[in-house]
Amino acid sequence: MDFKNNRYVKLSGVPWGAKPNDIEEFLIDCNIVGDPVIVRYKSGRATGDAVARLVGKSDLEKALKCHQKYLGKRYIKVEETDGDTFEKHFSESIAFIKEPFKLPSLDVRCHTQADEAKKQEVFRQADSNPKERLRYNEEEKMQEAGKLPDMNDRPKYTEVKIHGNAFVKLSGLAWTANEKDVRKFLNDCKVHEVVITNNDKGKPSGNAFVQLDSKGDVMKARAHNKEHLCKRFVNVEEVEKQQFIRETERDRKDYSSFHVKMKNLPFSATETEIKALFKDLAIEEVIMMRNKDYKPSGKAMVEFKSEEDQAKALLCDNKPMGSRSVEVNKVEKHDVKTIETQHNFH
């Protein structure tokens, strides 16, 4: 078959239990080449995405008409993708079939010590993605109750806790733009979270989704429409909560709302100097991080008493301390636990 006229689509928000034939039924009016591919994590778990190769342009047009239609209880995002992306996921699916991941499936309960060890390995891998850990826990509870989840019953990533009820999308961002740039751009808004999304190749998409505190903040954010950020003018538009969740679920990280991590501190820096840098903010604790020889590492973690103070602390990035410019960044929750454990150990 001549593949040069083929087109490719990506489906997002696919139920975790969906099979290739479910994708075929969803794209029922389209001529699909081979089987659709369910995209998986390295552990073998479905990501919620799928890709399909279509015969031609007319099939692509039909597929795009399925955008935001329902598959089971979930509505699906359908967008065009490229052949390289399809081939990448197709090759990974072949490798998975040839050598499935060496972890227990949810259809088999852990009866032996070896099985229990394998389950713990699942948890260790899932720790890098808290939403994946949540899904595994929920499925195991259903299994113990004698009810394996079907395609429509599986927990959704929408279970992730969302603070605030207002959301905006920034598009046209420079690829170099980061979270701090976005927060400064929206400096008059109360920002809970910024997610800069990536494309299928893992590069910045030029879009960011921002979770705000209120509709009033949305109005303030929209007032920045067409203003410049990193030498490019940016479009600002309001989006719904479900779109925020759907568009960001792959790129969101589970950051602490109260901690920041500091880098490039002078080795002589003290807790008093750090508190002076954040002099108007309410600090709960400062942890001076040390290396394996128990010498200053030039790093620290600071816990604040409120999310508002943490957000203000992030604006202190690149402020001077001694002869150095100090980095102030968010820290993921699992890193907070690791740092606290190491500190308590010392």
Side-chain angles (χ1 to χ4, degrees):
M1 179 181 288
D2 184 3
F3 293 133
K4 67 181 181 181
N5 293 321
N6 289 166
R7 296 291 187 270
Y8 306 86
V9 289
K10 175 186 172 185
L11 284 65
S12 303
V14 175
W16 314 123
K19 302 293 188 293
N21 62 299
D22 297 315
I23 306 301
E24 290 176 349
E25 290 180 13
F26 180 74
L27 300 173
I28 193 166
D29 294 328
C30 304
N31 294 305
I32 300 175
V33 180
D35 290 330
V37 176
I38 305 297
V39 182
R40 300 179 180 278
Y41 293 111
K42 290 181 180 180
S43 65
R45 312 280 291 166
T47 66
D49 292 343
V51 291
R53 187 203 305 263
L54 306 175
V55 170
K57 185 177 179 181
S58 62
D59 296 298
L60 173 63
E61 292 171 351
K62 293 175 184 177
L64 293 176
K65 290 180 181 178
C66 296
H67 180 60
Q68 295 193 341
K69 288 188 177 181
Y70 278 82
L71 174 56
K73 295 180 181 178
R74 302 193 69 177
Y75 67 90
I76 306 299
K77 176 183 176 182
V78 182
E79 59 186 326
E80 185 176 9
T81 188
D82 55 44
D84 290 342
T85 298
F86 176 86
E87 293 298 339
K88 173 180 177 291
H89 294 310
F90 178 77
S91 299
E92 290 172 351
S93 71
I94 295 299
F96 173 71
I97 292 171
K98 288 182 177 179
E99 188 177 353
F101 63 103
K102 300 180 177 64
L103 299 174
S105 73
L106 292 177
D107 303 80
V108 181
R109 299 193 183 189
C110 296
H111 292 294
T112 67
Q113 261 190 324
D115 287 334
E116 181 63 25
K118 290 179 180 179
K119 185 179 78 171
Q120 294 306 317
E121 178 62 19
V122 172
F123 280 162
R124 279 193 292 274
Q125 292 199 13
D127 277 341
S128 64
N129 186 336
K131 292 178 283 190
E132 187 73 5
R133 174 67 175 268
L134 171 66
R135 181 152 62 93
Y136 188 96
N137 286 343
E138 290 298 316
E139 289 179 343
E140 191 169 50
K141 289 177 185 176
M142 294 173 75
Q143 178 181 302
E144 290 175 354
K147 180 187 176 184
L148 287 174
D150 64 25
M151 184 181 74
N152 296 328
D153 288 335
R154 292 194 172 227
K156 304 175 179 60
Y157 277 179
T158 53
E159 294 176 64
V160 176
K161 189 175 181 180
I162 297 290
H163 302 280
N165 294 304
F167 308 89
V168 293
K169 174 184 177 182
L170 279 61
S171 54
L173 294 174
W175 287 1
T176 56
N178 57 36
E179 178 179 345
K180 288 164 189 170
D181 294 325
V182 173
R183 286 181 177 271
K184 289 179 182 178
F185 181 72
L186 301 175
N187 60 82
D188 55 345
C189 304
K190 186 175 180 181
V191 176
H192 285 288
E193 182 176 11
V194 176
V195 182
I196 296 176
T197 57
N198 295 319
N199 60 24
D200 289 337
K201 295 182 179 179
K203 296 181 179 180
S205 65
N207 297 329
F209 292 83
V210 184
Q211 178 189 353
L212 302 171
D213 190 62
S214 67
K215 292 292 184 180
D217 290 304
V218 171
M219 294 178 65
K220 293 177 183 178
R222 291 180 64 184
H224 294 289
N225 188 43
K226 303 295 184 182
E227 290 183 0
H228 282 78
L229 191 164
C230 297
K231 298 182 179 180
R232 296 187 66 175
F233 71 83
V234 176
N235 294 311
V236 183
E237 59 182 313
E238 184 176 10
V239 296
E240 297 298 321
K241 179 178 179 178
Q242 289 304 317
Q243 182 179 353
F244 174 87
I245 293 171
R246 185 179 69 249
E247 297 279 3
T248 63
E249 65 180 3
R250 182 175 62 180
D251 299 298
R252 292 182 81 214
K253 293 184 178 180
D254 194 19
Y255 288 115
S256 167
S257 299
F258 299 92
H259 297 78
V260 299
K261 186 174 181 180
M262 305 178 70
K263 296 181 181 179
N264 203 39
L265 291 166
F267 291 127
S268 61
T270 64
E271 181 175 332
T272 300
E273 289 175 301
I274 289 174
K275 288 182 176 180
L277 183 69
F278 303 125
K279 61 181 180 179
D280 297 324
L281 308 180
I283 293 175
E284 186 73 40
E285 182 182 20
V286 176
I287 294 178
M288 304 298 296
M289 298 168 62
R290 298 181 178 275
N291 60 25
K292 62 182 180 181
D293 298 320
Y294 202 58
K295 294 180 179 180
S297 65
K299 301 176 183 178
M301 185 175 74
V302 183
E303 180 182 359
F304 295 91
K305 293 186 177 181
S306 69
E307 295 181 32
E308 291 79 5
D309 283 341
Q310 186 228 36
K312 291 175 183 176
L314 292 169
L315 297 177
C316 294
D317 184 50
N318 288 325
K319 280 195 173 183
M321 181 179 290
S323 60
R324 297 191 176 191
S325 294
V326 178
E327 294 181 30
V328 182
N329 298 296
K330 281 188 172 183
V331 55
E332 293 185 57
K333 288 181 179 178
H334 66 84
D335 288 334
V336 170
K337 293 179 181 178
T338 300
I339 293 168
E340 288 177 340
T341 300
Q342 291 172 345
H343 173 70
N344 290 335
F345 175 77
H346 290 303

